[in-house]
Amino acid sequence: MKSKVGIGLIGLGTVGSGVVRLLRENAEVISRRLGAEVVLVKAADLDASRAKALKLSKDVYTKDAREVIESPDVDIVVELIGGYKPAKEFIISALENGKPVVTANKALLAIHGEEIFTASEKCGAPVGFEASVGGGIPIIGAIKQGIAANNIESIYGIINGTSNYILTKMTDEGREFDDVLAEAQGLGYAEADPTFDVEGIDPAHKLAILANIAYGTPINFGDIYTEGISNILPEDIRYARELGFKIKLLAIAKLRGGEIEARVHPTMLPEDYLIAKVDGVFNAIYVVGDALGPAMFYGRGAGDMPTASAVISDVIDISRDILYGGNGRMPVASFRNGSRKKLPVMPIDKVRCRYYMRFTALDHPGVLSKISGILGRHDISISSVIQHGRDAGSAVPIVVMTHGAVERNVRKALAKIDEQDVISAKTVVIRVESAE
Ligand code: NDP
Ligand code: HSE
């Protein structure tokens, strides 16, 4: 039996550097768990200074990723460069060379996952992607294995560390959006293009992966309704607090009547819900299984060492198959290939939830009854209203919390309300997840 498993790393940035450090720091516990050493035999990065900072030897470092893929000493290729091109080509080519792949690249898996999964099945080489969702939280393994006996009813995830960090600092410290985003970038949490984080694209990528393996269906990424946190204003955070809620960027997947509800948007959650207490860079995935009931997986959702922890867990898992046999035992997408079924994603128009609405209305008698009349005619009933102070003749905020309503009706009602003379700005709407 081999006494060593050779790994080849492509990308020595935040996560790649974390992987090198963790392999060194925890070499003993890793080899005791595996029964063999995990050795970094090749590492590629375009920037040689990264290899220098990590004190990688000349034999190990290369600028050329192809050397990693083609080295006979590399048993597992770890892709950590991010993006679509050339990451996809590197992964497919490694698989075609019969080499298992580990990747943290959720953007790639969300868009080209099926192609990669098919290549993996065809080549008989697994793909590990634990680090692609929830940073260090072992949620992929949990869905594929730990809770495999369940029909998964719903998933609620705070799965973007950068957005959660920003919302937490805005809520707790009253800080400015741009200032906190710059801090999150400095801490290595944000994507190379941070609009992926703050516009909800990154958590939508992760939701596509989760829904795929939870429900055994390919997900068309473009069908996921996606809204980020860039329009969240301090006043809505304050009103949320006054109503006993917190605003979180939530990724939601539910199986409803043969359709998958899959959406990412800022969401108001009662502040006493466990998931509403998840702050800073921490992520949480709250999963409801039919046998298990609710379970919450919590931990650091971004950063070098937590993500390296997830990457190396895949390396260890795949190494066990290499050393002791068992390749093919675990389907790459969690369900056996022939038993995956394409399920449609429910259009956002059909979604039903509660809504927070902040109207900017002229302080005239009868304004509230005008608003409530239009809402009522669209089958939307009000659960509470806040209006502070009076300022006759000028615009004041009126905050309304509704009972459960259908999104299509909400959109129609707000279009009607926003065209009234007494309304002086576009109404702000935030979806609410809570019991009635
Ligand atoms: P970084 O940008 O920090 O690192 C990427 C590295 O890859 C850079 O050093 C880059 O070099 C190098 N690189 C780019 N193209 C090539 C190439 N063709 N050949 C060799 N090297 C190349 O990214 P992260 O480490 O933050 O992220 C890596 C992956 O992990 C991404 O998919 C990301 O989404 C994912 N991820 C990141 C997390 C985090 O907390 N940062 C958490 C979970 C997942 P150069 O800078 O010179 O272009
Ligand atoms: N940019 C991502 C985040 C990294 O902030 O969650 C982890 O996937």
Side-chain angles (χ1 to χ4, degrees), residues 336-355:
R336 285 272 156 220
N337 225 352
S339 61
R340 295 174 78 230
K341 281 191 247 161
K342 176 96 179 125
L343 297 171
V345 172
M346 182 186 281
I348 188 73
D349 265 13
K350 284 172 75 179
V351 164
R352 184 184 173 86
C353 63
R354 299 181 69 196
Y355 291 84

Side-chain angles (χ1 to χ4, degrees), residues 10-17 44-47 50 62-65 79-83 86 90 103-107 131-133 135 188-192 202 206 301-304 307:
I10 309 177
L12 290 169
T14 304
V15 182
S17 298
D45 197 287
L46 299 175
D47 179 356
R50 295 189 184 266
T62 171
K63 247 188 166 64
D64 181 4
E79 180 276 308
L80 296 172
I81 61 175
F90 291 161
T103 179
N105 195 336
K106 57 266 167 147
S132 66
V133 182
Y189 301 156
E191 294 303 299
D202 173 76
K206 294 164 175 165
D304 53 358
T307 312

Side-chain angles (χ1 to χ4, degrees), residues 327-341:
N327 188 19
R329 187 181 55 88
M330 174 70 82
V332 65
S334 178
F335 283 66
R336 285 272 156 220
N337 225 352
S339 61
R340 295 174 78 230
K341 281 191 247 161

